[in-house]
Amino acid sequence: MTPNDPTPEEMSLDELRAEIEDIDREIVELIARRTYVADTVAAVKEERDLPTTDESQEARVMERAGTNAEQFDVDANLVKAIFRLLIELNKVEQRESR
């Protein structure tokens, strides 16, 4: 081992950070996929002259988010806040595209 080599603790920290980078990339990929599907939903709504907002569907999404959070032992309020943001961003995009 040379003086410039990382210690085992630093190596495991680097490995953990690399794993977080991979997870972050996956999260962005999933957001992109979700956005694509939401855009498709918006196109169907426009084609059928349906309103942009569907509060009952939004409630189901939020309920599902909370249930999934609990299943994975993650703070449900945090997960719901993230989903609320995703929903709002999709609604803004839908309104702008009309």
Side-chain angles (χ1 to χ4, degrees):
M1 190 176 230
T2 66
N4 291 334
D5 285 346
T7 66
E9 292 82 13
E10 290 170 336
M11 288 175 59
S12 66
L13 183 58
D14 288 343
E15 290 170 1
L16 290 168
R17 287 179 175 155
E19 186 169 350
I20 286 175
E21 285 182 34
D22 290 343
I23 292 167
D24 289 350
R25 192 176 303 104
E26 290 175 30
I27 290 170
V28 172
E29 180 182 354
L30 291 171
I31 290 170
R33 283 178 50 200
R34 189 182 195 287
T35 300
Y36 173 79
V37 173
D39 288 347
T40 305
V41 167
V44 170
K45 285 180 177 180
E46 184 174 12
E47 181 180 293
R48 297 179 185 176
D49 199 30
L50 297 171
T52 300
T53 301
D54 181 344
E55 290 180 13
S56 64
Q57 176 61 22
E58 289 177 27
R60 287 190 295 275
V61 170
M62 297 304 287
E63 183 178 331
R64 206 169 46 237
T67 300
N68 287 332
E70 291 169 6
Q71 179 182 356
F72 290 100
D73 196 28
V74 178
D75 184 306
N77 289 326
L78 173 63
V79 171
K80 287 180 178 183
I82 291 168
F83 272 82
R84 171 61 51 211
L85 180 58
L86 290 171
I87 289 168
E88 290 306 315
L89 290 171
N90 289 140
K91 285 166 45 175
V92 167
E93 284 187 26
Q94 286 179 25
R95 283 193 291 269
E96 289 177 353
S97 68
R98 283 192 166 197

